[in-house]
């Protein structure tokens, strides 16, 4: 009984692998365009996240007036 069950699992697995190999066709013609597009998308996302982080940081820091180190009193 266990041997029959193992054979059935083997044939199901072999049939599945055969069907997967027949259906999937690998086409590397667009690989360069896909890599370039992915790189451009990654750079755009990184720039967008940097701007968002800088905006959030600017909102957290309180705005302060200009502080001068020179003397306010002037003797004339």
């Amino acid at each position: 009984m266990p041997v029959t069950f193992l054979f059935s699992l083997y044939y199901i697995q072999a049939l599945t692998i055969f069907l997967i190999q027949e259906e999937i066709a690998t086409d590397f013609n667009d690989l360069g365009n896909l890599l370039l597009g992915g790189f451009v998308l990654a750079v755009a996302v990184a720039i967008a996240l940097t701007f968002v982080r800088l905006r959030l940081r600017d909102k957290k820091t309180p705005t302060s007036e200009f502080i001068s180190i020179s003397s306010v009193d002037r003797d004339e």
Side-chain angles (χ1 to χ4, degrees), residues 5-49:
F5 182 68
L6 290 176
F7 278 130
S8 65
L9 287 179
Y10 172 75
Y11 285 120
I12 290 172
Q13 179 187 10
L15 181 63
T16 305
I17 290 173
F18 176 72
L19 290 175
I20 289 174
Q21 286 179 349
E22 289 295 321
E23 292 294 322
I24 297 175
T26 305
D27 188 17
F28 290 109
N29 293 337
D30 295 343
L31 189 59
N33 291 336
L34 290 173
L35 285 172
L36 181 62
F39 177 74
V40 169
L41 181 66
V43 169
V45 168
I47 290 172
L49 287 176

Side-chain angles (χ1 to χ4, degrees), residues 23-71:
E23 292 294 322
I24 297 175
T26 305
D27 188 17
F28 290 109
N29 293 337
D30 295 343
L31 189 59
N33 291 336
L34 290 173
L35 285 172
L36 181 62
F39 177 74
V40 169
L41 181 66
V43 169
V45 168
I47 290 172
L49 287 176
T50 302
F51 279 126
V52 168
R53 278 187 43 207
L54 289 175
R55 296 278 181 177
L56 289 175
R57 187 182 70 182
D58 289 343
K59 286 183 180 180
K60 286 182 181 178
T61 58
T63 56
S64 60
E65 295 182 18
F66 180 73
I67 299 173
S68 174
I69 59 171
S70 64
S71 167

